[in-house]
Amino acid sequence: MDSLSFEEVKTKWDIIFKDPLLSLTSLREKGYKGNICSQGLRSICWKLYLAYLPSLDTETWSLTLNKERQHYADLRQKYITSPTADNDNDSNATDLSVNNPLSLDHANPWQEYFKDTELRKIIKQDVERTFPENEYFRSASIQNQLLDILFIYCKMNTDVSYRQGMHELLAPILWVVDKESLSNTSGYAMEDSEDAIIKQSLSADYIEHDTFALFSALMKSAKAYYEYNDEVFNRRPAKRTGQSSDVDYARLIKEAQAEAAKLTPVVMKCNKIHEEYLRTIDIELYNHLKNLEIEPQLYGIRWIRLLFGREFPINQVLILWDGMFAEDPTLRLVDFVCLALMLRIRDELLESDYAGCLSMLMRYPSINDVEVLVPQAIYLRDHLSPEGGNNIIQQNAIRLRKPIIPIQIPAQKESNRVEGLVPDGFVHVTKNSAVMLNKAILSAVGEVKKNVLRRPDGQYEHRKRQSTSDFSQRYAHSYQQSIHDTEPHQNSEDILRLKEQNRQMGIVIQRSINILEQELLGKPKSREDVNAGDADKIEKSSDGTTSRSSFEYIAGNNNEESNIPTSNEISILNVLHGLKHIRDVLNGSVKEFNPHILDLTNNNAEDHDHWEVVDDGVSVVSMAGTEDETASVTKEVQTKQERIAPPVNASKAPNLEPTFTKDSEISQPSPLPSSFSSPLSDETASQSTLLQQSNPLADQIKISNSISEKPSLISTTQSRSSPRGVRPTSISLPKSKFKLNDTMNDLDKRSVSSPKSSIVSNSKYSWMVEGCTEDDDNSLFNPKRSSIIGISGLSSYSSERTNYGYLDGPIEDEDQFEKSTTSNLTQKRSKNTSPSERNRSENIGSISSMNSVKKANNNAAPAIPVEDPLGVL
Amino acid sequence: MVLVLVIGDLHVPYRVHDLPLKFKKLLVPGKIQQIICTGNVCDKETFDYLRTIAADVHVVRGDYDEFPSWPLSKIITHGPLRIGVLHGHQVIPVGDAESLSIIARQMDADILLTGHTHRFEAIEYEGKFFVNPGSATGAYSGFCTEDIKPSFVLMDIQGSVVVTYVYRLVDGDVKVDKIEYRKNYDTSKVL
């Protein structure tokens, strides 16, 4: 082992101690959040964590160190001695009839010696096998050190004595202390005080002493893992000749063993983890293991006793220990690290049978980001609930997709995550993991693409999608099902269907994006109101449920958001942009999936690129999302636009007419016109926009929105429209809709089953679940709903309407493409215009996309994003 | 630290039926790492008994042993120490220090263990250590006119230091004596 030079050590020392905000708490925090132990001096950190060194005041260290080291030296002298050497003062010692190797006298020091020899032999067996792959532990002197330390510990703790596994706890400590030791410590008294302290605290002469002290400190907590509760268990190895007959003794042991096994603390702990914690956070996994009759102690004992030392290579173990020691020197975190580990391989476990599960638990698959386990464990400790478990599962899902990419910004990520652990049980994919999210999307899309371009084989990976939100996962599920349905059909039809499904999926994603944007970029305060309003307007909320989880996710994000700098927002935008690209691909408006778009880096250049892409974006749908972003990020522009908007509206109005007529031709006759007459807004055009937005949301007819908005535009004076009237009840659905509907049916049922409770828990999103009928009027009155943007969006929508006719039904690619390109051109044009203009034209995109969504889904959700910025205003 | 039991001249079953009970009580498994036997164990059962005390048994052939395959002499090393083992019936005159010294030189042994005289002896002669554990059973011997007391020797070898414990059964009691021998490196160099 190459030891460090003094200069290197000094540098590492400074990493720890040059921090102006240094405190024991901050050091502990860095222990599990950062990599202070890897960068700095791990042995020093551990000494502090485990309270071997009582404080950060290095002045006091010298005293403590001397005391502890002297203590060990005394112990060593006391326990490791020859029976012949030391006891001249003892009266027995001089009496050879007592003090001889074969004497049976109890006072015979040789008796003790023989016992010790036995013990050492047992320890040595294990010590020799310590980390067999590590050359360091093969050296005889190191093994002797391990042996002596363990032996002395056992002599001091005769109640536990030595148990297999202790050596595996000791070995890493010795390794760490030895690696960071300074061999030449002579004359440190002469040098300046800091150097002297460094040299003294890392002296190579006291490796064994320090290691023992650390080990003792660790074992204060870990000792319980090695204890046997039953006294008989302890007595058994030390069978005395005076005891009752062997037969009785054996029987006694047998009876006691069964009892003792259950009462052994470590087994009780395993059971507690399994029966209590795992059951709470992940009932599915719990049931699975229960059904397979996999006893938790099978793997748990090893995990706990060795503090996961056998599950990972030593360098990862050290990182894991850093976190555990730092967080809690009493090791209470171990239980939750166990949980985190189980959740990590949850999917594999659920798929495996008895043998598979067992081998996976006994031989834990290698993972390359052990540093996240401790924060996860802390999170689980603080959130011991199904939601907490779910969050961790989702985090893992995101992470697993890219095992190669560790954490690029570890410090930031870690800290953010901890902040982001929102206590209210929202599904939580934190903002800091925006990078992750994007990567997740990237790979997920890759998956989608594969499945779409080739013939799907049914092995669609649910989890891939679930990582971003439950919603997507569910959709993926339905997607898979529908794929199954289509398989027997002819090829061309298949392709057609696939395209159709893709499009639906794109729509769904669009919806999610809208929600995301609203939540991420909108202002939290107004959001409540807006959402409440939405709730009223949304019909039956069938779709709301499906996207609810993604909502929660965002909500979780939102809580964080208030404190987050703009750089984070940028990353969010990047993520959103990635999503949009996916949506475009699915919609067919972009032919090729471009992974680079998802390849996210947090710099500005990328951000710029992001806007570029948006502007050039092929699909109009993508514009919608962009607009929202723009709207929320640059609020000033919006306000400005508000002023400008009315004229825009007016100018756009003419365009509406042709669009409408065209649509009406296509569409079936519907009761909508009647509704138009009734809904008349009171004062401003902005409210008409509101109506326009809300109505389409509610409508089940694909075209209803276009119709409904016409009157609103035409009659700029409009007041509280009764959404009921606007909303036709019986509508012929587009063919494509059925599948989506089917897939969402079960979701609806779910939501219906317990809407109230969810509302109670989260009133913001109640509209997603609730039928939304009662408060319609109020919502319409809500001033926040009215906005200029809505108007301009509306008008622009009408102008762009022609381009979206194709969305009404399954149509061939080329056609779509041409049209989308046209719309794109419009967008490009807008790029060069003033900001307000640009926003306006982007509004066009958003609205139209919204319409398209609605047509496919007959659900209201997508309109939200437009409204939110309005609410902000 | 190694505990080596030196024992010999048992003559079971021809002269004595068994080891004294008090010795048997002392010789329990688990304490002694090695047994060096100076011969004349005689029957296989006794030899097997020895092996129950310690698995590592080194034995040389005495003039009454039934095992022609056993070697007549042996050299065992413990760290820096070379221990020569010989029954002793080859040495003339029997038990003579000069003669033993010659043999020790021939074997290049620091410690020479012999038997045959049935009389305990432990002497340092010309820098070498000569030990005769006597007869563990107190068996009759034609060379020894005085009363023969059962005895054996336990050597505690630590490096170049040998602490010898002598166990003798005197009037039904076990008496223990301790003799210390330290190998002198200078002497061996001269030789």
Side-chain angles (χ1 to χ4, degrees):
Chain A
M1 173 190 296
D2 42 332
S3 54
L4 303 163
S5 72
F6 181 73
E7 284 69 30
E8 287 170 308
V9 169
K10 186 87 164 63
T11 321
K12 288 173 168 243
W13 176 281
D14 287 344
I15 288 175
I16 300 177
F17 290 96
K18 283 287 186 270
D19 182 356
L21 299 174
L22 180 70
S23 72
L24 215 48
T25 321
S26 78
L27 191 62
R28 283 187 185 280
E29 224 163 77
K30 281 191 230 166
Y32 56 84
K33 287 182 189 167
N35 49 357
I36 186 88
C37 296
S38 304
Q39 287 170 356
L41 291 165
R42 178 170 274 128
S43 62
I44 294 289
C45 288
W46 284 10
K47 279 174 192 173
L48 289 164
Y49 293 158
L50 294 172
Y52 168 40
L53 297 171
S55 71
L56 283 168
D57 182 10
T58 49
E59 303 296 318
T60 63
W61 285 12
S62 180
L63 200 65
T64 315
L65 287 170
N66 282 336
K67 207 180 98 198
E68 289 291 330
R69 286 166 179 176
Q70 187 56 46
H71 178 57
Y72 177 74
D74 292 345
L75 288 173
R76 199 186 155 86
Q77 204 174 8
K78 182 176 164 196
Y79 289 120
I80 304 183
T81 48
S82 146
T84 54
D86 55 341
N87 30 23
D88 291 334
N89 48 358
D90 198 341
S91 62
N92 278 335
T94 49
D95 184 0
L96 273 178
S97 66
V98 174
N99 182 11
N100 71 71
L102 299 183
S103 166
L104 301 173
D105 196 309
H106 289 312
N108 185 8
W110 285 90
Q111 298 283 4
E112 198 64 30
Y113 168 78
F114 287 126
K115 256 189 242 168
D116 292 353
T117 314
E118 257 334 278
L119 181 59
R120 288 180 78 98
K121 214 193 287 175
I122 294 169
I123 298 175
K124 196 165 176 57
Q125 280 178 350
D126 286 339
V127 163
E128 281 173 349
R129 294 180 296 189
T130 309
F131 292 107
E133 73 285 352
N134 193 328
E135 203 51 45
Y136 173 76
F137 292 108
R138 300 279 67 75
S139 123
S141 66
I142 297 300
Q143 288 187 358
N144 272 335
Q145 282 185 336
L146 289 173
L147 177 58
D148 286 349
I149 294 169
L150 284 170
F151 175 71
I152 290 170
Y153 178 80
C154 294
K155 295 295 284 184
M156 291 177 67
N157 299 273
T158 45
D159 52 336
V160 172
S161 188
Y162 178 75
R163 299 266 165 214
Q164 250 189 352
M166 287 182 184
H167 66 290
E168 305 248 0
L169 293 183
L170 175 63
I173 298 178
L174 180 66
W175 157 277
V176 165
V177 175
D178 194 359
K179 205 161 76 172
E180 291 173 354
S181 65
L182 288 167
S183 51
N184 183 15
T185 58
S186 61
Y188 58 75
M190 310 296 189
E191 300 164 38
D192 73 83
S193 62
E194 194 188 18
D195 286 1
I197 286 291
I198 295 176
K199 289 193 173 178
Q200 191 191 3
S201 46
L202 296 173
S203 165
D205 298 339
Y206 297 104
I207 291 171
E208 198 178 316
H209 305 63
D210 289 353
T211 306
F212 175 78
L214 281 177
F215 179 68
S216 303
L218 172 61
M219 286 304 286
K220 267 180 206 154
S221 324
K223 188 176 163 184
Y225 306 150
Y226 292 92
E227 268 170 4
Y228 283 90
N229 212 5
D230 199 302
E231 204 193 347
V232 181
F233 239 98
N234 278 330
R235 215 188 306 142
R236 189 171 60 114
K239 184 193 173 192
R240 282 189 286 275
T241 47
Q243 217 142 5
S244 53
S245 75
D246 282 357
V247 181
D248 285 350
Y249 186 68
R251 190 172 47 78
L252 203 65
I253 288 173
K254 236 178 187 173
E255 285 172 2
Q257 267 181 1
E259 281 300 302
K262 280 179 203 157
L263 294 173
T264 305
V266 68
V267 176
M268 287 163 71
K269 197 179 184 68
C270 290
N271 280 323
K272 190 179 176 194
I273 292 172
H274 191 70
E275 298 284 340
E276 212 171 283
Y277 298 157
L278 185 63
R279 187 180 207 157
T280 310
I281 63 164
D282 191 351
I283 186 78
E284 196 183 350
L285 183 58
Y286 168 79
N287 286 332
H288 182 65
L289 293 179
K290 192 88 180 166
N291 291 338
L292 292 178
E293 291 179 345
I294 292 181
E295 300 271 328
Q297 60 260 37
L298 286 178
Y299 54 89
I301 287 184
R302 195 175 78 164
W303 284 7
I304 292 171
R305 279 199 177 157
L306 305 186
L307 293 180
F308 316 100
R310 283 270 181 91
E311 318 306 323
F312 309 109
I314 186 165
N315 51 341
Q316 292 192 338
V317 170
L318 295 182
I319 293 170
L320 187 61
W321 284 16
D322 292 341
M324 287 198 293
F325 295 166
E327 168 60 20
D328 188 1
T330 56
L331 299 178
R332 276 189 295 265
L333 202 60
V334 169
D335 302 12
F336 302 98
V337 175
C338 285
L339 289 176
L341 281 174
M342 296 189 69
L343 290 184
R344 175 61 70 94
I345 54 169
R346 174 179 189 274
D347 294 347
E348 292 83 347
L349 286 178
L350 287 177
E351 287 164 11
S352 304
D353 58 355
Y354 179 84
C357 279
L358 212 53
S359 74
M360 209 172 317
L361 289 166
M362 301 291 274
R363 233 170 296 145
Y364 198 81
S366 69
I367 61 176
N368 50 15
D369 49 356
V370 284
E371 60 273 10
V372 307
L373 286 174
V374 169
Q376 282 184 348
I378 294 171
Y379 177 65
L380 283 174
R381 185 189 62 191
D382 299 337
H383 304 86
L384 197 62
S385 62
E387 288 82 13
N390 198 25
N391 292 347
I392 297 297
I393 292 167
Q394 295 196 354
Q395 269 191 11
N396 287 340
I398 294 170
R399 202 166 276 117
L400 281 182
R401 200 142 316 113
K402 42 228 54 96
I404 310 156
I405 301 161
I407 295 80
Q408 288 152 339
I409 37 166
Q412 188 204 348
K413 184 192 79 81
E414 302 272 346
S415 62
N416 274 349
R417 185 196 358 236
V418 175
E419 290 162 15
L421 300 177
V422 193
D424 48 3
F426 285 155
V427 179
H428 137 90
V429 178
T430 58
K431 192 167 286 178
N432 51 55
S433 54
V435 180
M436 292 293 200
L437 186 58
N438 225 355
K439 302 282 183 195
I441 294 163
L442 171 62
S443 62
V445 167
E447 194 75 24
V448 170
K449 192 180 162 199
K450 247 185 275 167
N451 281 311
V452 168
L453 295 184
R454 297 170 202 161
R455 296 288 301 276
D457 54 359
Q459 285 288 339
Y460 204 84
E461 295 194 43
H462 299 198
R463 176 69 56 187
K464 298 269 175 190
R465 314 244 57 208
Q466 193 186 5
S467 64
T468 50
S469 73
D470 279 348
F471 168 72
S472 328
Q473 187 258 340
R474 286 170 194 162
Y475 186 76
H477 182 65
S478 61
Y479 180 65
Q480 177 190 358
Q481 279 185 341
S482 58
I483 284 169
H484 273 300
D485 295 339
T486 58
E487 269 188 322
H489 293 262
Q490 289 179 351
N491 270 351
S492 60
E493 198 173 345
D494 275 0
I495 290 167
L496 213 64
R497 273 166 185 264
L498 281 177
K499 275 177 186 164
E500 176 63 15
Q501 283 158 358
N502 276 350
R503 204 169 56 76
Q504 288 176 8
M505 202 152 167
I507 288 160
V508 169
I509 288 180
Q510 165 62 30
R511 184 174 309 227
S512 311
I513 290 171
N514 286 345
I515 293 164
L516 274 169
E517 282 171 341
Q518 184 199 8
E519 288 303 311
L520 286 176
L521 305 173
K523 275 217 173 131
K525 273 187 190 173
S526 58
R527 191 181 358 114
E528 289 245 11
D529 302 334
V530 172
N531 282 340
D534 288 343
D536 310 328
K537 304 221 167 182
I538 290 165
E539 175 184 291
K540 294 304 174 193
S541 79
S542 59
D543 195 34
T545 332
T546 54
S547 45
R548 191 159 64 98
S549 57
S550 54
F551 246 91
E552 289 166 343
Y553 145 52
I554 302 147
N557 276 348
N558 235 326
N559 286 3
E560 292 173 278
E561 191 183 18
S562 44
N563 317 334
I564 291 176
T566 46
S567 68
N568 248 346
E569 271 179 345
I570 288 168
S571 70
I572 293 166
L573 294 185
N574 276 329
V575 175
L576 286 174
H577 177 56
L579 270 175
K580 282 169 195 159
H581 181 66
I582 293 162
R583 176 200 53 203
D584 292 349
V585 172
L586 287 171
N587 277 337
S589 48
V590 175
K591 276 268 185 186
E592 265 301 311
F593 171 64
N594 179 11
H596 295 298
I597 290 178
L598 300 183
D599 230 354
L600 168 94
T601 50
N602 265 333
N603 57 24
N604 285 334
E606 175 77 326
D607 193 39
H608 174 71
D609 188 29
H610 159 72
W611 293 109
E612 280 279 324
V613 175
V614 168
D615 286 340
D616 296 340
V618 186
S619 90
V620 184
V621 186
S622 81
M623 289 314 168
T626 319
E627 177 271 320
D628 289 333
E629 286 170 14
T630 331
S632 58
V633 174
T634 65
K635 306 247 156 82
E636 319 81 25
V637 176
Q638 277 187 2
T639 51
K640 194 175 157 194
Q641 187 197 6
E642 191 175 11
R643 275 179 264 122
I644 300 170
V648 170
N649 180 26
S651 66
K652 286 285 177 181
N655 284 342
L656 180 63
E657 285 290 342
T659 314
F660 170 60
T661 53
K662 185 180 176 184
D663 277 337
S664 61
E665 284 167 13
I666 300 166
S667 65
Q668 305 167 343
S670 72
L672 282 176
S674 67
S675 72
F676 298 141
S677 58
S678 67
L680 290 181
S681 67
D682 36 17
E683 53 252 336
T684 64
S686 62
Q687 288 218 320
S688 74
T689 314
L690 173 68
L691 178 64
Q692 176 266 324
Q693 285 174 352
S694 59
N695 281 343
L697 297 184
D699 285 346
Q700 286 197 341
I701 301 183
K702 48 182 177 181
I703 304 166
S704 65
N705 56 350
S706 68
I707 298 170
S708 66
E709 80 199 350
K710 180 204 170 186
S712 68
L713 282 174
I714 291 170
S715 64
T716 47
T717 62
Q718 207 180 33
S719 72
R720 39 192 89 181
S721 64
S722 81
R724 288 258 177 227
V726 175
R727 229 176 282 124
T729 46
S730 67
I731 288 105
S732 72
L733 303 177
K735 183 182 159 198
S736 61
K737 201 159 85 186
F738 280 111
K739 276 189 181 124
L740 202 59
N741 263 356
D742 291 346
T743 62
M744 300 199 165
N745 269 345
D746 51 347
L747 302 173
D748 293 349
K749 281 170 201 160
R750 270 211 220 171
S751 71
V752 169
S753 66
S754 63
K756 289 294 175 191
S757 61
S758 58
I759 294 164
V760 170
S761 68
N762 187 0
S763 61
K764 285 184 223 169
Y765 310 112
S766 58
W767 63 272
M768 304 302 287
V769 212
E770 189 122 43
C772 81
T773 52
E774 307 97 61
D775 303 326
D776 283 348
D777 291 352
N778 290 338
S779 67
L780 282 176
F781 281 122
N782 187 347
K784 293 196 173 166
R785 303 199 54 130
S786 63
S787 105
I788 297 300
I789 290 184
I791 294 174
S792 65
L794 180 57
S795 54
S796 52
Y797 161 75
S798 62
S799 70
E800 292 291 313
R801 186 72 187 113
T802 41
N803 290 335
Y804 291 85
Y806 67 87
L807 283 174
D808 290 348
I811 294 175
E812 293 307 321
D813 273 33
E814 293 82 7
D815 191 13
Q816 286 184 8
F817 238 85
E818 278 177 20
K819 296 197 172 177
S820 61
T821 325
T822 0
S823 66
N824 191 32
L825 285 175
T826 324
Q827 296 306 320
K828 273 186 177 168
R829 229 189 313 119
S830 72
K831 183 182 168 187
N832 295 329
T833 57
S834 71
S836 63
E837 270 260 314
R838 180 173 148 190
N839 273 343
R840 181 175 48 78
S841 57
E842 278 164 355
N843 275 339
I844 300 169
S846 74
I847 301 262
S848 48
S849 72
M850 188 174 73
N851 283 334
S852 65
V853 170
K854 195 200 61 141
K855 277 166 193 161
N857 285 332
N858 83 324
N859 275 325
I864 298 155
V866 181
E867 284 181 317
D868 188 301
L870 303 180
V872 169
L873 294 171
Chain B
M1 186 189 286
V2 186
L3 282 178
V4 179
L5 173 67
V6 184
I7 198 170
D9 291 309
L10 283 81
H11 290 281
V12 177
Y14 303 115
R15 300 187 189 177
V16 182
H17 77 279
D18 205 354
L19 270 174
L21 194 64
K22 297 219 164 176
F23 279 4
K24 281 194 143 182
K25 267 189 184 169
L26 291 180
L27 297 172
V28 290
K31 296 181 175 179
I32 295 160
Q33 279 94 59
Q34 190 177 54
I35 296 177
I36 298 176
C37 179
T38 55
N40 276 354
V41 177
C42 292
D43 68 342
K44 185 169 183 308
E45 283 72 22
T46 314
F47 178 66
D48 288 343
Y49 164 73
L50 290 181
R51 290 206 296 187
T52 64
I53 299 169
D56 185 15
V57 181
H58 296 271
V59 64
V60 293
R61 178 148 54 99
D63 43 355
Y64 287 91
D65 272 324
E66 296 170 346
F67 308 94
S69 61
W70 287 358
L72 285 171
S73 69
K74 234 181 187 180
I75 292 180
I76 298 145
T77 52
H78 277 281
L81 291 174
R82 279 171 66 88
I83 301 172
V85 191
L86 187 74
H87 176 64
H89 61 271
Q90 305 91 333
V91 182
I92 294 172
V94 168
D96 181 63
E98 287 280 342
S99 310
L100 290 172
S101 182
I102 293 166
I103 293 196
R105 268 201 298 280
Q106 283 173 346
M107 296 173 82
D108 190 20
D110 303 302
I111 300 169
L112 186 66
L113 306 176
T114 56
H116 196 57
T117 62
H118 292 214
R119 195 172 63 227
F120 165 74
E121 236 173 350
I123 54 167
E124 210 174 324
Y125 185 77
E126 290 180 342
K128 295 181 191 307
F129 193 42
F130 298 90
V131 177
N132 187 329
S135 168
T137 53
Y140 156 82
S141 166
F143 300 101
C144 195
T145 52
E146 63 209 75
D147 192 19
I148 295 173
K149 296 195 170 58
S151 65
F152 66 88
V153 164
L154 192 67
M155 294 197 303
D156 174 12
I157 303 174
Q158 303 178 63
S160 61
V161 179
V162 179
V163 180
T164 308
Y165 294 89
V166 185
Y167 292 81
R168 279 183 295 191
L169 194 64
V170 181
D171 303 328
D173 287 328
V174 178
K175 297 263 177 192
V176 185
D177 286 311
K178 190 161 98 169
I179 301 155
E180 206 169 309
Y181 163 76
R182 186 180 298 270
K183 178 184 174 181
N184 192 329
Y185 287 97
D186 294 338
T187 312
S188 56
K189 268 177 198 167
V190 170
L191 288 169

